[in-house]
Amino acid sequence: PAVAALGKKFHPQCFNCTSCKGNIPNKFGGKFQNHQNKPYCNPCYDKTVGKGGAGCAACGNKISGQGVEALGTVVRHLQN
């Protein structure tokens, strides 16, 4: 059976975390977070964009320290 998520259908083996590539149905019991219409397992979401604040629009990782905001919502690291 297909996995229905993010308004699409996926083969179960193809529905993986955007960050760690772990299989969400098998490794994470189907639980995930949606960020910019991409699936993240809960640990990766917390590490990159969740509890720690906004994620970088370029790489998706959490911004620690200084960042820059432009065009209202786009956030990027000052240095990479």
Side-chain angles (χ1 to χ4, degrees):
V3 173
L6 306 172
K8 302 173 187 173
K9 290 184 180 180
F10 298 86
H11 294 115
Q13 68 272 21
C14 296
F15 191 58
N16 301 317
C17 173
T18 299
S19 183
C20 73
K21 309 301 182 209
N23 185 259
I24 291 173
N26 291 328
K27 188 173 179 182
F28 303 105
K31 296 181 180 178
F32 73 98
Q33 299 292 326
N34 177 359
H35 178 65
Q36 296 178 340
N37 210 31
K38 295 178 184 174
Y40 286 83
C41 67
N42 287 329
C44 287
Y45 181 84
D46 287 345
K47 201 170 17 171
T48 58
V49 297
K51 297 174 185 170
C56 176
C59 70
N61 290 325
K62 182 173 74 175
I63 294 175
S64 57
Q66 292 185 316
V68 66
E69 186 170 341
L71 304 175
T73 57
V74 177
V75 182
R76 296 184 187 268
H77 303 271
L78 284 177
Q79 297 177 354
N80 226 351

